[in-house]
Amino acid sequence: MSELTVAGLRVVREIALSGSFTAAARLLGYSQPAISRQVAAMEAAAGQALFVREGRGVRVSAAGAVVVEHAGRILAGMRALEQDLASLDDRLAGRVRLGAYPSATAVLVPRAVARLRTEHPGLEVALTEAATPTLLRHLRARRLDVAVIGVGAGLPDYDLAGLDQEVVSAGGLCVAVPSGHRLAGVDVVPVAELAGETWIAGPPGHRDDPQFRAWPTLTEPVIGHAVRGWPARLGLVAAGLGVCLMPEVAARSIPAGVVTVGVYDPGWPGRRTVAVSPPARSAEAQGVLAALHRAGADLRA
């Protein structure tokens, strides 16, 4: 069995697929005698005939069918091996430090980190979750390589001078409603449809923290409950006690009993999720940015 070769497996499989030695020779770029020699060597190694000659073609014998079945898996494995070897120079290794604001760590960042683990298993990602002002301080102190932050309407005007910025998700805010709510199942509603709703809000926080109260352009909204954590807010929504704001970047993390609804509001300019990094970024940081972009594209899709 040591005489079995990859070239021989390729020849046997091609003959089985094409139905003749002549067709296999043409497809593989071999001469007819070379094909015959490969088959003879494989049959000698297997100790059995692999093909039954009949008329102008051949059919696979029982032994040949076994060889062809294994050949498909072996050749696929060889192609994967060749691709892995060829991509060694493209793989990243070492350690990269990624920070993100809490809403981004719900869905976007975990998907990006999972992609990095698959594509660059030698790269260790050290993940930090913190508020944006803390992330920016750590980035400027070189304690982070990439920071994922939220910018836009209703958020502080952060000092990003001297830092590179790339938008990884343009989603802003949506509204989480109970699955039995009158708006459940609607993709986008005019902001006027939210008038009179009872809101599950976050408590007033530090001036640099994003405020998740009611929809930003509503006047005199009714606040039913104010709780700090997202699990508590969404739990209250699931129980039918109100609706709440939800960052679109985290919308796929909602629990059972809750659905999200987009809002059409020309008076609100929206928010964006941005990856920020120093100008002279490493190859590892560039890899993180690429993974974030792909994760953002997946969420939009």
Side-chain angles (χ1 to χ4, degrees), residues 25-293:
R26 184 177 66 253
L27 292 169
L28 293 174
Y30 286 7
S31 67
Q32 181 84 22
I35 288 284
S36 297
R37 285 195 297 271
Q38 287 284 356
V39 172
M42 292 292 287
E43 289 183 327
Q48 301 182 58
L50 302 181
F51 297 100
V52 178
R53 282 72 172 174
E54 50 184 23
R56 300 174 109 185
V58 296
R59 63 179 174 84
V60 181
S61 68
V66 172
V67 172
V68 170
E69 179 184 354
H70 284 275
R73 292 195 295 268
I74 293 169
L75 293 173
M78 291 297 297
R79 285 192 296 272
L81 172 59
E82 290 167 357
Q83 291 169 358
D84 285 347
L85 289 172
S87 66
L88 280 177
D89 291 340
D90 296 330
R91 289 201 169 174
L92 303 175
R95 191 169 187 266
V96 65
R97 299 159 301 179
L98 170 63
Y101 72 106
S103 295
T105 60
V107 181
L108 175 72
V109 169
R111 292 192 179 198
V113 173
R115 184 183 291 272
L116 286 168
R117 175 174 292 182
T118 299
E119 296 180 355
H120 306 288
L123 182 65
E124 176 191 354
V125 180
L127 179 61
T128 299
E129 181 186 73
T132 294
T134 301
L135 294 174
L136 292 176
R137 286 197 301 272
H138 288 178
L139 191 67
R140 293 190 184 281
R142 300 286 177 164
R143 293 196 291 270
L144 287 176
D145 300 296
V146 179
V148 179
I149 66 172
V151 299
L155 297 175
D157 187 14
Y158 301 117
D159 178 14
L160 303 179
L163 299 173
D164 285 350
Q165 307 168 48
E166 296 188 18
V167 177
V168 294
S169 176
L173 294 174
C174 58
V175 175
V177 305
S179 56
H181 192 275
R182 63 185 178 86
L183 299 178
V186 180
D187 290 335
V188 179
V189 300
V191 65
E193 287 286 340
L194 300 175
E197 291 289 339
T198 298
W199 292 87
I200 309 299
H206 188 274
R207 63 181 179 83
D208 286 338
D209 292 334
Q211 303 298 304
F212 292 100
R213 303 290 286 171
W215 186 263
T217 60
L218 290 179
T219 58
E220 300 182 358
V222 177
I223 305 296
H225 298 277
V227 291
R228 183 170 301 280
W230 284 108
R233 280 179 238 170
L234 292 171
L236 290 166
V237 171
L241 298 175
V243 303
C244 77
L245 287 186
M246 187 82 189
E248 287 186 1
V249 73
R252 295 198 184 186
S253 66
I254 57 174
V258 178
V259 297
T260 58
V261 178
V263 179
Y264 174 68
D265 185 356
W268 192 69
R271 294 178 182 174
R272 301 174 305 284
T273 297
V274 176
V276 186
S277 61
R281 68 173 72 109
S282 65
E284 291 76 17
Q286 188 62 49
V288 169
L289 289 170
L292 287 167
H293 278 294

